[in-house]
Amino acid sequence: MDLLIANTRFLKKGDKDHKKQVSSDSSYLFAAGAAKKRSLLTNLQSKDHALLKERSSIQLPTKPLNSEEWDRLKEDFEGKANFEDWISSQMTQCHASIDVAKSLLAWVAAKNNGIVSYNLLVKYLYLCVIHKQTSEVIDVYEIMKSRYKRLESSGYGLLIRGLIHSDRWREALLLLEDMKKVMIPSKKNYSDCIQGALLHQDVDTAWNLYQELLGHNIIPMMETLKAFFDFGKGIKDDHYSNKLLDILLYLRNNQLYPGESFVHSIKTWFESMPGKQWKGQFTTIQESGQCLGCGKTLESIHLSPEEYEYLKGKIMKDVIDGGDQYRKTTPQELKRFQEFVNSCPPFDIVIDGLNVGKMYTKARDSQVLLNVVSQLAKQNLQLLVLGRKHMLTRNARWRKDEMEMIQKQASCFFADNISEDDPFLLYATLNSGNHCKFITNDLMRDHKACLPDVKTQHLFFKWQQGHQLAIINRFPGSKITFQSILRYDTVVQTTGDSWHIPYDEDLVERYSYEVPTKWLCLQRKT
């Protein structure tokens, strides 16, 4: 490291032309999903994927090696890859000690007139950050600053993460500004700078960075939001408190859920507010929507008339009339279906016939569908069964007599075999009114994804939760049992003197189309 620093001083004083910019791979920077920047470790794995596949009998050193020892280790290396790249990648994988990594850099520098490649520096920097070796981070920072006008994203990110814990933390903000000249920094870059500002008591800078992050339409990391609540513990500052309440409303409006650690920070902050007398408890919600903690009833899952009409218009425009994924459904067939629906009275239940028929692999499809339709028809419900034309062709899975019995008990529409039937299901259900339910086990994630904005996506998910009936019978022919529909909305909600916050449990894996079952209930004593 001394040799590297000495070489840096030489570069600063003399060879100005030696400075260069690390080229950025534009396909990497601007590829789909670039807003969710890969972590450094993922970058290292992808860049060195071929290197990590190499098999070698050598073991990683557990203590620093001198030049002769590194020479012998290189001689023993049987892989086809560059030894220095291979061994440094192994070190990052195993979180090797700084001393061992430093001896590698010293050996490389001694062989190359004090020059170490950018890739090796970044891998060493990664280890310095992981092991919280701030002084080493600053050394690498000085080297990189002297040699490169620009870095690539992982280099910037690591330097920012390493500098925020030092008295030179404001230089992390300068690096963030450098990043902005060529790219939009990632949520992790912003999170590190925000946490650095809070760590050093610069609250205004932290909030300014937070607003800048939101201005890029980037959803903050939960650890960023948690940092604001942790900082606010016990502070008597109405302006700061209102900003934290705005964060909770941001979670509500974007249907985001804090994890256990974050929700504990929220609870601690509320209970620490001087003179406010908040009390929190972790609880669950009954099927009726009543909180088991305080007895209050949560907001209804059902859309207001205004929300329903708004969503209906968006679905008609963006899912049914538009969308490349629905080119298989011809405009002529869609028009034929719309005329059919408009000629019928409003439906109570719309059934995805193909999806329901294939619920049981060992039962005949038409028999399963007939059983469902027959049981619902006994309740005098107006039914619509959607299917494909091949269901009317006599075969082992779809018997003609059973299909005729289905058509006697329900309105039926059979689309072309190549058509997408989901747009028909959505149109018929929405066109029939807010009372109409639909039956399918399809989670419709593709339809939600093609909606134009977050507000519409959330309204669609809310509507879906309140209208989709999923059959949970274990045996064909048994009485139909539907999975219960939530009566309450699973979002952050408040009445002023109470807050209810759904949260993710650490050990429960929740998919994007699912909602949490655990809640934080906060009540203000009066």
Side-chain angles (χ1 to χ4, degrees):
M1 186 56 69
D2 291 339
L3 184 58
L4 289 171
I5 294 172
N7 183 264
T8 296
R9 295 194 188 103
F10 170 75
L11 289 170
K12 284 181 177 177
K13 293 176 181 178
D15 190 6
K16 300 296 184 184
D17 294 333
H18 189 74
K19 287 193 176 185
K20 56 182 178 289
Q21 176 177 341
V22 175
S23 63
S24 296
D25 183 351
S26 60
S27 65
Y28 165 74
L29 288 176
F30 303 105
K36 297 183 178 180
K37 303 293 185 189
R38 300 183 182 95
S39 66
L40 173 74
L41 188 55
T42 304
N43 280 335
L44 293 175
Q45 288 173 334
S46 61
K47 290 177 182 177
D48 299 309
H49 183 63
L51 305 181
L52 296 178
K53 284 185 175 180
E54 295 286 354
R55 294 290 180 260
S56 175
S57 59
I58 68 172
Q59 299 292 319
L60 283 180
T62 57
K63 60 182 180 59
L65 304 183
N66 58 36
S67 293
E68 291 76 15
E69 290 170 324
W70 278 116
D71 287 335
R72 285 197 298 272
L73 196 62
K74 183 175 181 179
E75 289 174 3
D76 294 338
F77 179 63
E78 298 174 353
K80 296 179 182 179
N82 176 279
F83 171 75
E84 290 81 359
D85 287 340
W86 182 87
I87 196 74
S88 60
S89 295
Q90 294 296 312
M91 286 181 176
T92 58
Q93 288 284 309
C94 301
H95 292 181
S97 77
I98 292 295
D99 290 338
V100 174
K102 191 186 295 187
S103 73
L104 171 66
L105 261 64
W107 173 65
V108 171
K111 295 193 307 175
N112 295 283
N113 297 319
I115 299 297
V116 173
S117 72
Y118 177 83
N119 283 339
L120 284 182
L121 280 176
V122 169
K123 292 170 185 175
Y124 177 70
L125 176 60
Y126 171 76
L127 291 174
C128 294
V129 172
I130 287 293
H131 293 299
K132 295 182 170 53
Q133 297 293 314
T134 304
S135 62
E136 298 293 333
V137 170
I138 291 174
D139 284 344
V140 177
Y141 172 52
E142 292 295 346
I143 294 167
M144 288 183 160
K145 190 166 61 169
S146 72
R147 291 182 61 187
Y148 307 109
K149 293 179 180 178
R150 291 280 184 272
L151 309 178
E152 44 73 59
S153 58
S154 64
Y156 277 123
L158 286 169
L159 286 175
I160 288 172
R161 205 173 312 158
L163 288 172
I164 60 171
H165 300 287
S166 73
D167 56 3
R168 296 175 62 176
W169 71 275
R170 288 193 181 276
E171 293 183 57
L173 305 181
L174 298 179
L175 291 173
L176 190 72
E177 291 301 317
D178 281 346
M179 292 187 75
K180 293 177 194 175
K181 295 173 184 177
V182 292
M183 68 186 84
I184 296 176
S186 71
K187 63 176 72 178
K188 178 59 177 171
N189 300 143
Y190 275 104
S191 177
D192 288 334
C193 288
I194 288 170
Q195 292 190 62
L198 292 175
L199 181 65
H200 296 278
Q201 308 294 311
D202 191 341
V203 179
D204 290 340
T205 295
W207 284 118
N208 289 338
L209 289 169
Y210 173 69
Q211 290 301 324
E212 189 177 300
L213 174 65
L214 296 184
H216 288 304
N217 290 321
I218 299 175
I219 296 177
M221 298 179 69
M222 289 296 169
E223 65 183 57
T224 309
L225 306 181
K226 178 181 181 298
F228 281 113
F229 278 87
D230 289 338
F231 184 86
K233 180 181 176 182
I235 294 177
K236 189 173 184 179
D237 183 337
D238 290 341
H239 182 66
Y240 192 95
S241 296
N242 288 336
K243 286 180 176 290
L244 294 185
L245 297 180
D246 286 342
I247 287 178
L248 295 180
L249 294 178
Y250 176 83
L251 296 179
R252 171 189 171 85
N253 294 335
N254 290 274
Q255 201 166 353
L256 299 173
Y257 306 113
E260 278 190 44
S261 177
F262 183 12
V263 84
H264 275 279
S265 292
I266 294 172
K267 179 177 181 289
T268 299
W269 174 72
F270 269 99
E271 293 177 340
S272 74
M273 278 195 282
K276 298 294 185 180
Q277 292 189 308
W278 284 91
K279 183 66 177 175
Q281 58 182 315
F282 297 103
T283 185
T284 54
I285 309 298
Q286 293 180 305
E287 285 189 13
S288 63
Q290 188 177 46
C291 173
L292 287 175
C294 65
K296 286 187 170 65
T297 300
L298 301 190
E299 298 173 19
S300 171
I301 190 69
H302 297 295
L303 304 185
S304 68
E306 295 77 19
E307 289 175 328
Y308 183 81
E309 289 302 319
Y310 173 85
L311 178 64
K312 179 180 175 181
K314 287 288 187 179
I315 293 288
M316 298 298 179
K317 176 183 176 183
D318 296 303
V319 175
I320 296 172
D321 295 336
D324 290 343
Q325 62 268 45
Y326 302 121
R327 285 178 179 168
K328 292 180 180 179
T329 303
T330 65
Q332 294 79 10
E333 184 171 54
L334 194 54
K335 182 179 180 182
R336 180 170 69 89
F337 175 68
Q338 290 171 329
E339 291 174 349
F340 166 78
V341 170
N342 292 334
S343 68
C344 300
F347 300 108
D348 297 310
I349 296 179
V350 179
I351 302 169
D352 183 343
L354 197 59
N355 182 282
V356 170
K358 295 188 177 300
M359 280 177 44
Y360 306 107
T361 55
K362 294 184 179 180
R364 190 169 55 252
D365 296 357
S366 56
Q367 183 182 26
V368 174
L369 181 58
L370 176 60
N371 180 49
V372 171
V373 170
S374 298
Q375 291 190 47
L376 291 173
K378 292 176 183 178
Q379 303 176 39
N380 294 321
L381 296 171
Q382 192 71 29
L383 306 177
L384 170 63
V385 175
L386 298 174
R388 306 269 181 89
K389 287 182 179 178
H390 73 80
M391 295 163 62
L392 298 175
T393 304
R394 183 178 301 176
N395 59 67
R397 305 299 302 175
W398 300 97
R399 271 180 39 177
K400 185 176 181 181
D401 59 325
E402 289 173 338
M403 293 305 297
E404 288 175 348
M405 292 176 66
I406 289 171
Q407 292 176 77
K408 289 178 181 178
Q409 299 178 78
S411 300
C412 296
F413 184 89
F414 298 95
D416 290 337
N417 293 330
I418 63 169
S419 292
E420 295 278 358
D421 44 16
D422 288 348
F424 297 122
L425 184 144
L426 291 173
Y427 179 88
T429 307
L430 286 163
N431 193 69
S432 294
N434 209 355
H435 72 286
C436 183
K437 304 287 192 293
F438 64 94
I439 300 177
T440 181
N441 287 330
D442 187 340
L443 296 167
M444 298 196 174
R445 283 166 283 182
D446 291 341
H447 308 289
K448 177 183 173 183
C450 76
L451 292 169
D453 54 74
V454 173
K455 174 186 175 183
T456 309
Q457 290 176 9
H458 292 158
L459 283 178
F460 178 80
F461 186 50
K462 185 177 177 180
W463 172 79
Q464 181 185 8
Q465 286 180 282
H467 291 79
Q468 182 167 358
L469 298 171
I471 299 172
I472 57 174
N473 294 50
R474 297 180 61 183
F475 305 104
S478 58
K479 185 176 180 181
I480 296 174
T481 304
F482 293 108
Q483 196 168 29
S484 59
I485 289 181
L486 283 180
R487 298 185 185 181
Y488 56 89
D489 197 6
T490 312
V491 292
V492 174
Q493 42 197 276
T494 181
T495 60
D497 61 351
S498 71
W499 284 85
H500 288 87
I501 302 170
Y503 67 92
D504 284 325
E505 297 176 273
D506 288 344
L507 300 180
V508 177
E509 184 177 0
R510 181 180 60 81
Y511 292 95
S512 60
Y513 53 85
E514 298 174 327
V515 294
T517 59
K518 300 296 184 181
W519 292 71
L520 170 62
C521 168
L522 291 156
Q523 299 293 317
R524 185 163 56 190
K525 298 178 183 178
T526 56

